[in-house]
Amino acid sequence: MTSTYSRREMLLQSGTGFGALALAGMLQGVGSASESPASPLMSKLTHHPARAKSVIFLFMEGGPSHIDTFDPKPAIQKLAGKPLPDSFGRVITAMGEFDSPVLESKRKWKQHGESGLWISDWLPHMATRADDLAVIRSCWTNGINHSGGVCQMNTGTQFAGRPSLGSWVTYGLGTQNQNLPAFVVMQDKGTVVNGPRNWGTGFMPAIYQGTKMQIEGTPFANLNAPKHVNPHQQRIALDYLAAVNQRHMQTRRDNSELEARIRSYELAYKMQSHAPEAVDLSQETAETKALYGMDEKETSEFGRNCLLARRMVERGVRFIQLYHGAGSKWDAHSNIESNHTKMCRGMDKPVAGLLTDLSRRGLLDETLVVWGGEFGRTPMSEQGNGRDHNPTGFTMVMAGGGVKAGQAFGATDEVGLHAVEDRVHVHDLHSTILYLMGVDHRKLIYVNKGRPERIDENEGHVYKKVIA
């Protein structure tokens, strides 16, 4: 029986395995009919001096409890076992429980660093970096469940179909290197809610999507050529394939997927030489690995990812997304003590190690580190000893990259249920991150089907109080 292939299938299976590799790094000269006139060479564009060159977004998937980590609420102890005061009205939580009593927090709180920032005993290592942290206690979001919350924190909306924050960054600023992707994604064992939607491009060209790295085995999938194909043969095949594709492109007004695939072949070819060195942790000292907790079972996995993130920053990767607790493992509807004890233990030392390492290498000032999840957790109990989702008030933490360190900003109410002072929506967080990278979110526009689109859906504001 004779097999036939469409041209698309031929392209997917050709190129000695390069076709499955996301590119998001070869941005010079990229453009499509739907893009704004400035976009083809936007790797050189900033609207004002940038404070940060790169972003490392540490995503605690499932929703860490802000009132047990960075936002102490003495009133919770006084109200433990009692209903919320009548002034709150009747609160129905995301999972449908109502009239639940307040759940005490068993945390011990101390002020840390010269700044005196309050941090709980669940985070002893991050507490040593208190003077690096800008703690925003007044965040809120629209997503009440994990799918919507994770999607909004990553893309600005609860619904599928829009570009991720990392895609907007690479669209606006391009790459600082030509040998690695501009936007990489790492997750621990598990599957992040919504999967690739979180680092996808939505209506933008595929060239701006994130490249997922693997937790086990070769960090970049589909990179190595078959053993029987030597570099010279690869070069000949790639040059021929590029010529064929370029002729095909000339007959089409807009084919971003084909253009992305052409560039992915070239990026993958360069990565064969450069990526192995970038992810070679044998170059790191035992002291550095221990700093990230790679010598301990509980912290080795996330510690590895944090160390790889530092190496990516050193090599000019623009946006690095790290997921901790992939598969909503921070979700603590019951037994929050055991859940959060384990989850904090797994990420606390690696995050502190990352901040320490960036600082001593002179990279923290130009790298914006963001920590947080899709929402917080309620002061009321769920299932007796857990906490429900809380989208109306939670904490996000920033460090480096031009933020005012050693300070807390905004506030939730006396029990941490609602953001009440300097309320900062997810759109505002995204706008602020772009601002710190030298981009005005109001001017970073992508025209989709005649409609000008922005990351903040025309609703965000830069939270300037957090900017140094």
Side-chain angles (χ1 to χ4, degrees):
M1 181 176 179
T2 302
S3 298
T4 60
Y5 294 89
S6 69
R7 187 174 187 283
R8 179 179 293 272
E9 292 171 327
M10 183 275 288
L11 288 173
L12 285 170
Q13 297 183 30
S14 64
T16 60
F18 294 159
L21 182 76
L23 54 115
M26 303 288 290
L27 300 185
Q28 274 65 23
V30 176
S32 73
S34 66
E35 294 180 38
S36 60
S39 63
L41 293 176
M42 284 186 74
S43 59
K44 298 180 180 179
L45 172 65
T46 54
H47 299 117
H48 52 263
R51 307 299 300 274
K53 294 180 180 178
S54 301
V55 172
I56 300 176
F57 199 128
L58 307 171
F59 200 113
M60 308 295 111
E61 204 219 319
S65 175
H66 57 297
I67 53 180
D68 294 294
T69 50
F70 290 103
D71 191 6
K73 295 296 176 183
I76 288 179
Q77 308 306 105
K78 297 177 183 179
L79 293 170
K82 302 175 183 178
L84 284 174
D86 292 340
S87 59
F88 284 89
R90 197 177 196 195
V91 178
I92 301 176
T93 60
M95 294 296 104
E97 287 198 20
F98 54 89
D99 294 337
S100 299
V102 173
L103 178 68
E104 70 172 331
S105 173
K106 296 182 179 181
R107 306 280 50 81
K108 295 179 181 179
W109 295 83
K110 285 179 58 178
Q111 290 180 285
H112 294 271
E114 295 182 6
S115 60
L117 198 64
W118 288 96
I119 301 175
S120 88
D121 58 353
W122 258 338
L123 304 173
H125 296 283
M126 290 183 70
T128 66
R129 306 302 307 184
D131 291 334
D132 294 325
L133 307 181
V135 178
I136 306 175
R137 293 174 172 167
S138 53
C139 300
W140 68 284
T141 183
N142 303 109
I144 64 171
N145 58 25
H146 296 291
S147 179
V150 171
C151 191
Q152 183 162 51
M153 187 60 75
N154 279 282
T155 72
T157 180
Q158 303 171 69
F159 310 107
R162 292 187 65 84
S164 61
L165 176 61
S167 296
W168 279 103
V169 169
T170 48
Y171 165 65
L173 292 173
T175 184
Q176 300 178 89
N177 73 89
Q178 290 296 315
N179 302 310
L180 291 169
F183 174 18
V184 301
V185 179
M186 289 178 268
Q187 62 182 28
D188 48 13
K189 293 176 182 175
T191 302
V192 178
V193 169
N194 303 326
R197 182 197 309 175
N198 299 309
W199 52 88
T201 56
F203 47 69
M204 280 186 185
I207 193 169
Y208 302 111
Q209 68 188 340
T211 298
K212 181 183 173 184
M213 295 176 64
Q214 302 181 118
I215 186 65
E216 294 181 321
T218 304
F220 291 105
N222 305 305
L223 185 61
N224 297 325
K227 293 181 180 179
H228 65 276
V229 178
N230 63 47
H232 179 66
Q233 291 172 314
Q234 282 185 297
R235 187 68 267 168
I236 292 174
L238 286 172
D239 288 345
Y240 175 74
L241 188 59
V244 172
N245 283 331
Q246 289 293 348
R247 288 199 299 270
H248 183 64
M249 286 275 294
Q250 292 174 4
T251 66
R252 278 151 175 77
R253 183 169 177 266
D254 177 22
N255 193 331
S256 72
E257 291 185 4
L258 177 56
E259 184 166 11
R261 192 167 299 283
I262 292 171
R263 293 176 181 276
S264 73
Y265 294 149
E266 288 300 323
L267 176 59
Y269 184 75
K270 293 182 178 182
M271 284 177 63
Q272 284 186 329
S273 298
H274 295 271
E277 183 278 332
V279 299
D280 182 9
L281 298 186
S282 68
Q283 300 178 13
E284 302 291 339
T285 66
E287 183 274 335
T288 297
K289 293 177 182 178
L291 179 68
Y292 286 84
M294 289 184 62
D295 57 344
E296 301 175 46
K297 181 179 179 181
E298 297 91 340
T299 52
S300 60
E301 192 172 276
F302 196 60
R304 169 187 180 270
N305 286 354
C306 286
L307 180 51
L308 284 171
R310 190 219 79 207
R311 293 179 66 87
M312 294 291 111
V313 165
E314 285 180 312
R315 288 154 181 80
V317 175
R318 182 75 72 181
F319 197 97
I320 304 106
Q321 183 105 31
L322 273 66
Y323 290 93
H324 181 261
S328 300
K329 292 186 177 68
W330 280 88
D331 204 16
H333 294 282
S334 62
N335 297 315
I336 189 170
E337 282 297 311
S338 60
N339 174 275
H340 271 38
T341 296
K342 177 182 178 180
M343 300 309 295
C344 287
R345 167 73 173 138
M347 71 82 199
D348 178 40
K349 188 173 185 177
V351 173
L354 173 64
L355 296 176
T356 299
D357 206 14
L358 288 172
S359 179
R360 69 187 185 181
R361 292 170 184 270
L363 293 170
L364 186 57
D365 287 345
E366 61 186 40
T367 305
L368 177 63
V369 180
V370 182
W371 179 97
E374 63 267 37
F375 38 57
R377 309 211 76 84
T378 59
M380 305 85 73
S381 66
E382 185 185 3
Q383 300 182 35
N385 57 7
R387 299 193 190 278
D388 204 346
H389 307 167
N390 184 5
T392 59
F394 63 99
T395 293
M396 296 292 290
V397 181
M398 295 182 177
V403 301
K404 290 179 182 176
Q407 297 186 46
F409 301 87
T412 50
D413 56 42
E414 64 267 34
V415 294
L417 181 60
H418 298 111
V420 294
E421 178 185 319
D422 285 351
R423 299 176 77 236
V424 178
H425 189 267
V426 172
H427 291 319
D428 304 323
L429 287 170
H430 291 168
S431 301
T432 304
I433 290 169
L434 287 174
Y435 183 90
L436 289 164
M437 299 194 78
V439 176
D440 186 335
H441 68 284
R442 298 166 300 182
K443 298 177 182 178
L444 182 60
I445 295 171
Y446 184 90
V447 179
N448 176 43
K449 298 181 179 178
R451 177 187 174 89
E453 300 282 1
R454 297 182 351 200
I455 176 63
D456 67 340
E457 296 187 303
N458 303 318
E459 294 181 0
H461 299 84
V462 175
Y463 185 49
K464 292 192 175 181
K465 286 186 179 181
V466 80
I467 299 170

